Amino acid sequence: MREVVIAGVGLHPCGRFGDKPYVDMGREAVAAALKDAGIAWSEVQAAYCARMYLPATSGARILKTLGMTGIPIADVEAACASGAVALSQAYMAIASGFYDVVLAFGVEKMPRGFMDPSAIYEDWQIRMGLAVNPMYWAIAAKRHMADYGATALQMAKVSVKNHKNARTNPYAMYRREVSVEEVLSSRMVCDPITLLMVCAPNEGAAAAIVCSAEFARKHSARPVQVAACVPRTSLYPWFRAPAAYVSARPNPPSVTTRAAREAYEMAGIGPQDLDLVELQDTDACSEIIASEELGLCPVGEGGRLVDEGISEIGGRLPINPSGGLLSNGEPIGASHLRQIAETVWQLRGEAGERQVEGARVGLCHVVGAGGNAAVTILKR
Amino acid sequence: MTDAAETANVHSKKRVPIKEGFLTTPLSDLREAKLQGSRCASCGEVFLGIQHGCQSCGATGMETVVLSNRGKLYSYTVLRNRPPGNYMGPDPFVPFAVGLIELPEGIRVISPLTHCNLDSLHVNMDVELALDRLYEDEEGSEVIAFSFRPE
């Protein structure tokens, strides 16, 4: 297997952009990544486009605006892990020696508020009022509180931290600091989760130029190594949308834990070697639970990471220095590749005021509908 | 949802479950009907409704089981906003609780919690099944949905 690197990344900001076509958003992110990599579009040999709520052949519709070069272009979808599946396809194509340069990109344009429930839920769930994504996060949070003593205050602190980190992120949707009081007193969505503890489905685009280390040496001055890229689906049971029931027997390791263990093994590192983490904070308690599942702390102690300042920029292990999903929103197809772009900048020392000093190893994590999750580890 | 005891006495209309296979039949007396599931003959895992294969071990031998109408509240939340799409609950919207109900058969079912005070819910409390009419379908049949209520 050959060493795989990311030669360049590009983002279109996250937010809501009215009538701006997704084709323009995608093209801007791809063009920025090509420029960053110093690679011409004509050198790209294949492309994978991650998207969930856009029409068929979105990838081809976007890339034709750069010139129709005849390469294979495929759209991929794995809910919140869509971008990781696009990256994984590029990774495998290059590691195997089949291609030297592959584009992995993601784009999304989603309506405001709740997502269309019929995309993932059955009709009876919608009629009974059970087709509500934050419901799953809230039920998981409530049980975590009962089992381990996680508190709404800790969840509020996660939201405060991530909003603070996003202040200087020009690509974030929300760049305003919030206070603990503001988070706790914002509108209740699903107890104990308040409005300022949940992420917004929104719009955005992200791209990465993935190539062999050998090819990169000739073109790019600042390649970042893809040490592992592991998309997985859950074993039974899976308590996230659109589950209607789960087993009450002792559960096998979660899909996040399984993906992380494989990624650590593949990269030859452990959680103690990480300098920063971008993880799926769809809601504030998900950051606490995912921290535990990724092995960043013992089970039940995720709240301590924020209580003790460990997960702050400047702490021992900064979590979501970009502001996470809470500040960037979740443009689903683009979400993992947005994390990748942030981490590449961090490892190159180009993250400006939110720079994690001396960062050498970063982990990106997504998890979502259908039991999909992924962990990618980047190294310089 | 209307009260179970009240709808139980209306026999004139045809009744159908919210999803085929979720409830035992007949539905003429809603106090007698129960949730129905499938048990894997190979690994013993229990699922809600009729299943043709086991999601846990992949075996195809499944047997139908009647699920207990009493369980414990494993966890819960309160939905404060009207659920999206074709939600058939009260209009205007009334906030309601949703729980993950652990049944003795080894399954936890996501279910609305009805006939309860939203402030008195707590993890591990005892709950029991309540079957009620949710709406009337295009053919005029009463569609019966499940929920749980504090015992």
Side-chain angles (χ1 to χ4, degrees), chain A:
Chain A
M1 296 275 269
R2 299 196 298 172
E3 187 182 324
V4 177
V5 302
I6 292 176
V9 290
L11 285 188
H12 179 285
C14 299
R16 296 202 175 91
F17 303 97
D19 293 335
K20 182 170 185 175
Y22 74 86
V23 169
D24 292 355
M25 292 166 52
R27 192 195 64 241
E28 286 174 32
V30 172
L34 288 166
K35 188 178 172 201
D36 187 47
I39 285 172
W41 168 234
S42 58
E43 292 177 284
V44 175
Q45 296 165 298
Y48 295 96
C49 174
R51 51 87 184 153
M52 188 168 176
Y53 286 86
L54 291 176
T57 71
S58 290
R61 296 190 213 202
I62 292 164
L63 295 176
K64 76 177 180 189
T65 66
L66 296 172
M68 295 171 69
T69 58
I71 61 168
I73 300 170
D75 287 9
V76 296
E77 186 273 307
C80 304
S82 297
V85 172
L87 182 61
S88 163
Q89 291 296 319
Y91 176 91
M92 290 188 290
I94 288 160
S96 67
F98 204 87
Y99 292 126
D100 290 316
V101 189
V102 178
L103 165 66
F105 73 118
V107 59
E108 208 69 75
K109 199 168 173 74
M110 301 169 68
R112 186 182 286 265
F114 280 123
M115 295 182 282
D116 174 10
S118 64
I120 42 180
Y121 294 97
E122 290 189 46
D123 190 54
W124 69 270
Q125 291 174 299
I126 298 170
R127 289 176 185 267
M128 277 175 63
L130 300 176
V132 179
N133 292 351
M135 171 188 88
Y136 291 88
W137 314 334
I139 289 175
K142 203 82 166 176
R143 187 67 198 191
H144 210 68
M145 294 167 89
D147 282 345
Y148 302 110
T151 64
L153 178 60
Q154 289 171 333
M155 296 171 207
K157 286 181 185 172
V158 167
S159 175
V160 168
K161 167 182 70 72
N162 292 355
H163 281 92
K164 184 176 162 195
N165 290 352
R167 267 179 323 166
T168 58
N169 180 355
Y171 298 97
M173 180 177 187
Y174 302 113
R175 276 170 266 168
R176 185 176 71 83
E177 276 195 73
V178 296
S179 67
V180 163
E181 295 70 34
E182 227 179 311
V183 176
L184 289 174
S185 64
S186 62
R187 186 160 57 81
M188 188 61 80
V189 175
C190 292
D191 311 32
I193 307 290
T194 66
L195 189 63
L196 285 174
M197 293 185 199
V198 294
C199 77
N202 62 350
E203 307 172 20
I209 308 297
V210 188
C211 55
S212 65
E214 195 187 342
F215 185 92
R217 266 192 289 278
K218 292 179 211 153
H219 291 76
S220 168
R222 301 162 299 169
V224 165
Q225 187 193 349
V226 183
C229 179
V230 183
R232 286 287 178 270
T233 54
S234 182
L235 303 173
Y236 182 76
W238 167 244
F239 184 69
R240 282 271 183 131
Y245 50 84
V246 291
S247 176
R249 292 172 159 189
N251 288 182
S254 75
V255 61
T256 289
T257 296
R258 286 172 44 244
R261 283 178 187 167
E262 285 192 50
Y264 291 137
E265 194 182 329
M266 202 179 207
I269 63 157
Q272 71 283 354
D273 301 313
L274 299 171
D275 297 313
L276 71 127
V277 172
E278 286 281 325
L279 59 73
Q280 178 99 12
D281 55 334
T282 21
D283 67 287
C285 193
S286 286
E287 175 165 317
I288 291 172
I289 295 173
S291 299
E292 299 168 11
E293 292 181 330
L294 291 167
L296 310 182
C297 63
V299 172
E301 295 185 15
R304 271 187 46 215
L305 297 179
V306 71
D307 272 342
E308 297 175 7
I310 295 166
S311 55
E312 301 250 4
I313 294 174
R316 180 170 56 73
L317 181 56
I319 296 176
N320 288 322
S322 72
L325 277 62
L326 289 177
S327 308
N328 288 276
E330 192 187 15
I332 293 188
S335 193
H336 188 65
L337 290 155
R338 180 199 64 75
Q339 297 175 323
I340 296 289
E342 169 73 14
T343 304
V344 165
W345 289 325
Q346 288 282 357
L347 300 186
R348 297 198 313 213
E350 298 170 3
E353 285 184 58
R354 63 186 192 286
Q355 179 66 45
V356 175
E357 285 309 316
R360 300 187 62 85
V361 185
L363 179 149
C364 301
H365 159 258
V366 280
V367 59
N372 283 288
V375 170
T376 298
I377 296 174
L378 303 180
K379 271 164 78 172
R380 77 166 155 93

Side-chain angles (χ1 to χ4, degrees), chain A residues 114-118 121-136 138-144 146-147 187-193 235-237 239-240 242-251, chain B residues 1 18-19 22 43-49 51 55-56 73-89 96 98-100 102-103 106-112 123-124 134-135 138 145-147:
Chain A
F114 280 123
M115 295 182 282
D116 174 10
S118 64
Y121 294 97
E122 290 189 46
D123 190 54
W124 69 270
Q125 291 174 299
I126 298 170
R127 289 176 185 267
M128 277 175 63
L130 300 176
V132 179
N133 292 351
M135 171 188 88
Y136 291 88
I139 289 175
K142 203 82 166 176
R143 187 67 198 191
H144 210 68
D147 282 345
R187 186 160 57 81
M188 188 61 80
V189 175
C190 292
D191 311 32
I193 307 290
L235 303 173
Y236 182 76
F239 184 69
R240 282 271 183 131
Y245 50 84
V246 291
S247 176
R249 292 172 159 189
N251 288 182
Chain B
M1 286 175 207
I18 184 79
K19 170 145 170 115
F22 271 19
C43 76
E45 196 71 73
V46 172
F47 306 90
L48 181 62
Q51 307 284 332
Q55 294 168 45
S56 185
L73 188 57
Y74 181 79
S75 187
Y76 67 96
T77 185
V78 178
L79 306 193
R80 301 286 174 178
N81 302 285
R82 188 178 184 85
N86 198 18
Y87 168 57
M88 302 305 284
F96 68 101
V98 175
L100 190 54
E102 182 158 330
L103 300 176
I107 181 173
R108 295 181 190 133
V109 177
I110 298 173
S111 169
V123 168
N124 284 333
L134 181 60
Y135 64 97
E138 298 76 14
F146 60 91
S147 67

